[in-house]
Amino acid sequence: MKYTWKSSLAVVITASLAACSSGNSTEQPAVQPTNTKDSKETVTAQKQTYKIFRNFGSPEYPADGGRGKKEVLAALDKAGLKNIDFNVSLASGTEYYTKLNLFASSGELPDFFNVDIPSLTRFADEGLIMPLDDLIKNSPNMSKLIKKSDLEALTYKGKVYGLPVGYRPEAFNGPDVSGFTVRQDWLDQLGLKQPKTLDEFYKVMQAFTNNDPDKNGKKDTYGLSAAKPGNPQLTPFAAIFGAYGINPSFWHERDGKLIQGMVLPETKEVLTLLQKWFKEGLIDPEFVIMEQKQLDEKVIGSKVGIFEGSAFNVDPKQPINLALKKAIPNGNLQILMPPSGPGGKLGWPENAPAYNDIRAISAKTKNPEQLMKLIDWSASEEGFPLVTYGVNNEHYNYDKAKNRIDMKVPSYSELYTQGFSNPIRFIQVVDRRWMTEEATSAMEVTNKYTVKNQFWKTTQAMLDYPDLPKLWSEYYSKIVTGTWSVDKWDEFVTKYYSQGGKAIEQQVNEEWKKKK
């Protein structure tokens, strides 16, 4: 996940990307905003244990919350928030939303949980989640960090139903982290430079596939790979579409009208190109069915040279980079600039509003004001570093003069094991001062070269015709893999308009013109 509301999860990250990206690329913010009197007020309400459900993969996180929970509860007590407890459970990807929908259907939603835009709108219509407008207004630490545009994007029927992320102001703290990640050591091994155009990209893929870049004497590598999207809105190899100036799920202006990218003629050109690469054996044939974990294993096992990933992967403390260097000491991951196309266009799709990390509060939650005090405290000067980085001078050091966080743990997995960081980040604040200079430079690249979406909101027709993304996903996969000819795209366009696309396009343009 940052097009329509229903498709906001489409922009990777992978994160999912996230995070997080990519598969599970993660944000790790640092020492943060001002303390407030509000965060020190003693809560006198009845003690409440809040059930928190996170869309995040961390098998290391202890079921009882470990040391992290004990430290946080002690700090909350010291801050005057004496009647709060929490239990965190985790799942990721499709498994997360399967469980969330089961909770919803049984009337047992957790108190605080991740949602995507389709879930948010459905739950709001069904009265399963509560408006957050007043709660956010009374949360001074969060309010300083949240973008107004994100709150607008999460406004449904006049009310804000989703809690977005917050951002620090540095250039590398933008929302866009997705990119093609390359084995730089393979480029060096074969005497190649980082590709900057589609033609150069093609030549690198050929070399990675045919020239034995890992020097094992076998033809067992692929030039390009990606994981199966966790949502039919997502389109693998989005930067190749970006080389033609579009994204399939985004809305692009043509002759004073918005048209969704998947029915623009540029899409047929990209499908032609991808099918050619696939037939030449340059693209990993398992990308259609491959889970993120499998892709990570292939990267670590030196089976792919370029893959859809995240700028986080450049940092040596990230799990995938750490594992690669254990297997291949000279392994080197770098972020590529998105390749430019025939007309000089380039870019990854910009991230959806709220950074694809949207949280909601159940309508059944008892004393939501108390829960929001916990969330706001976690964005305060006292709460933020403890929740995110653990104990100062043990897990990390903060250099105020240099405005840097230096981690003392070998990887963030160690923090997860102890019950700190991402699993208990009650609000995500984008802050990458902990990352290496190489990684923050990669972040500046991913935030600079993006394809923009002209329409983020949802319309009623999108809710009335929810199967169009699945239709696109089917045609995309079968055309790229050569099961169907490229000319089947024309059939897709016909079906798109006859199966709801016409109504969606009409409503999108009506709303867009009102805004203009």
Side-chain angles (χ1 to χ4, degrees):
M1 6 100 91
K2 341 205 129 354
Y3 96 67
T4 68
W5 270 40
K6 286 186 67 61
S7 59
S8 69
L9 207 60
V11 181
V12 178
I13 63 278
T14 177
S16 236
L17 205 217
C20 180
S21 217
S22 303
N24 274 320
S25 297
T26 59
E27 292 287 357
Q28 312 286 351
V31 176
Q32 198 51 27
T34 58
N35 176 37
T36 66
K37 179 180 177 181
D38 188 60
S39 67
K40 292 285 187 181
E41 292 177 358
T42 300
V43 179
T44 58
Q46 182 179 0
K47 184 173 182 178
Q48 190 71 40
T49 299
Y50 295 101
K51 295 180 180 179
I52 298 172
F53 189 34
R54 287 291 319 280
N55 185 0
F56 184 76
S58 176
E60 312 96 324
Y61 181 73
D64 64 357
R67 179 186 174 188
K69 180 176 179 178
K70 295 177 182 178
E71 295 278 0
V72 168
L73 291 179
L76 285 169
D77 186 77
K78 184 178 179 180
L81 306 178
K82 298 179 179 296
N83 298 298
I84 297 176
D85 197 358
F86 61 89
N87 291 320
V88 175
S89 57
L90 306 172
S92 61
T94 55
E95 178 190 7
Y96 174 85
Y97 282 100
T98 297
K99 289 184 176 182
L100 183 65
N101 287 327
L102 287 174
F103 290 144
S105 62
S106 65
E108 297 295 333
L109 277 173
D111 295 299
F112 189 50
F113 52 93
N114 287 100
V115 289
D116 56 11
I117 293 297
S119 299
L120 183 146
T121 54
R122 178 164 61 87
F123 290 170
D125 281 336
E126 295 174 0
L128 298 178
I129 57 178
M130 64 176 60
L132 305 178
D133 305 70
D134 291 338
L135 292 172
I136 292 173
K137 287 178 183 177
N138 293 322
S139 302
N141 295 303
M142 289 192 305
S143 297
K144 294 177 182 178
L145 305 170
I146 294 173
K147 291 183 177 181
K148 182 180 178 181
S149 59
D150 282 355
L151 291 178
E152 291 174 351
L154 299 180
T155 298
Y156 182 62
K157 296 184 177 179
K159 297 289 184 179
V160 176
Y161 282 94
L163 179 67
V165 305
Y167 293 91
R168 283 190 54 85
E170 292 85 356
F172 51 77
N173 282 325
D176 302 298
V177 299
S178 297
F180 277 136
T181 308
V182 66
R183 283 288 298 272
Q184 182 64 43
D185 53 310
W186 282 14
L187 288 174
D188 297 340
Q189 178 74 29
L190 298 174
L192 299 170
K193 295 181 179 180
Q194 289 191 1
K196 294 185 178 181
T197 66
L198 282 180
D199 288 340
E200 293 173 355
F201 193 84
Y202 173 59
K203 291 176 182 178
V204 168
M205 286 193 299
Q206 286 180 309
F208 283 175
T209 303
N210 301 317
N211 296 354
D212 193 21
D214 59 346
K215 299 302 176 183
N216 69 350
K218 301 177 182 179
K219 191 175 184 298
D220 58 354
T221 56
Y222 291 99
L224 180 63
S225 189
K228 176 184 69 174
N231 183 294
Q233 304 281 3
L234 295 168
T235 300
F237 315 127
I240 307 305
F241 288 90
Y244 288 79
I246 66 163
N247 180 271
S249 294
F250 280 8
W251 291 91
H252 301 280
E253 184 175 0
R254 296 291 187 272
D255 299 323
K257 178 181 179 180
L258 293 188
I259 301 176
Q260 202 164 18
M262 60 185 71
V263 296
L264 289 172
E266 292 94 323
T267 289
K268 189 173 185 179
E269 294 183 68
V270 176
L271 292 174
T272 301
L273 185 63
L274 290 174
Q275 188 185 87
K276 175 180 181 294
W277 292 352
F278 188 89
K279 288 182 176 180
E280 291 181 15
L282 308 181
I283 297 176
D284 183 352
E286 294 185 338
F287 86 90
V288 176
I289 59 172
M290 188 158 48
E291 299 292 342
Q292 183 63 45
K293 181 180 178 181
Q294 293 173 289
L295 176 60
D296 292 347
E297 290 171 351
K298 287 192 174 188
V299 172
I300 296 165
S302 293
K303 299 302 179 185
V304 296
I306 302 174
F307 62 99
E308 284 195 332
S310 162
F312 283 98
N313 294 327
V314 174
D315 193 293
K317 287 188 177 181
Q318 286 295 296
I320 189 170
N321 201 324
L322 191 68
L324 175 63
K325 289 186 179 298
K326 286 183 179 179
I328 311 291
N330 68 334
N332 186 357
L333 297 178
Q334 295 293 327
I335 282 288
L336 295 175
M337 279 185 56
S340 62
K345 297 177 181 179
L346 76 165
W348 278 85
E350 66 172 340
N351 216 342
Y355 199 40
N356 290 328
D357 190 352
I358 308 167
R359 322 277 177 101
I361 296 179
S362 169
K364 292 184 177 181
T365 295
K366 296 180 180 179
N367 200 341
E369 294 82 8
Q370 194 174 7
L371 171 59
M372 192 60 85
K373 286 183 180 293
L374 163 64
I375 299 167
D376 191 58
W377 170 84
S378 72
S380 71
E381 185 175 307
E382 292 89 353
F384 186 82
L386 176 63
V387 167
T388 306
Y389 291 108
V391 178
N392 191 22
N393 296 322
E394 179 181 343
H395 299 113
Y396 76 96
N397 289 324
Y398 175 54
D399 187 330
K400 186 175 181 179
K402 295 182 179 179
N403 193 27
R404 291 286 303 171
I405 290 289
D406 294 319
M407 300 307 299
K408 300 180 70 173
V409 293
S411 73
Y412 286 96
S413 179
E414 175 65 24
L415 288 177
Y416 305 159
T417 299
Q418 296 189 42
F420 292 104
S421 197
N422 279 287
I424 62 166
R425 288 177 62 193
F426 306 108
I427 180 175
Q428 181 177 163
V429 178
V430 179
D431 182 357
R432 303 171 183 134
R433 291 176 292 175
W434 58 275
M435 298 185 71
T436 63
E437 184 176 346
E438 194 173 36
T440 54
S441 295
M443 297 289 182
E444 292 184 19
V445 171
T446 57
N447 278 279
K448 183 177 181 179
Y449 302 103
T450 57
V451 175
K452 304 299 182 183
N453 182 23
Q454 298 300 315
F455 189 86
W456 281 112
K457 285 187 173 290
T458 191
T459 68
Q460 184 59 46
M462 295 174 193
L463 303 177
D464 295 337
Y465 300 100
D467 293 330
L468 279 181
K470 295 179 182 178
L471 182 70
W472 160 248
S473 181
E474 177 187 14
Y475 273 80
Y476 172 83
S477 298
K478 291 184 176 180
I479 291 174
V480 171
T481 58
T483 303
W484 289 346
S485 72
V486 175
D487 288 337
K488 289 281 283 187
W489 174 81
D490 299 284
E491 178 182 282
F492 164 77
V493 174
T494 300
K495 288 186 176 181
Y496 170 91
Y497 281 110
S498 65
Q499 296 181 18
K502 183 177 180 181
I504 292 173
E505 186 178 284
Q506 179 179 345
Q507 289 185 6
V508 165
N509 277 279
E510 288 173 355
E511 292 299 317
W512 177 63
K513 288 177 182 177
K514 288 179 184 177
K515 185 176 180 180
K516 290 188 69 177

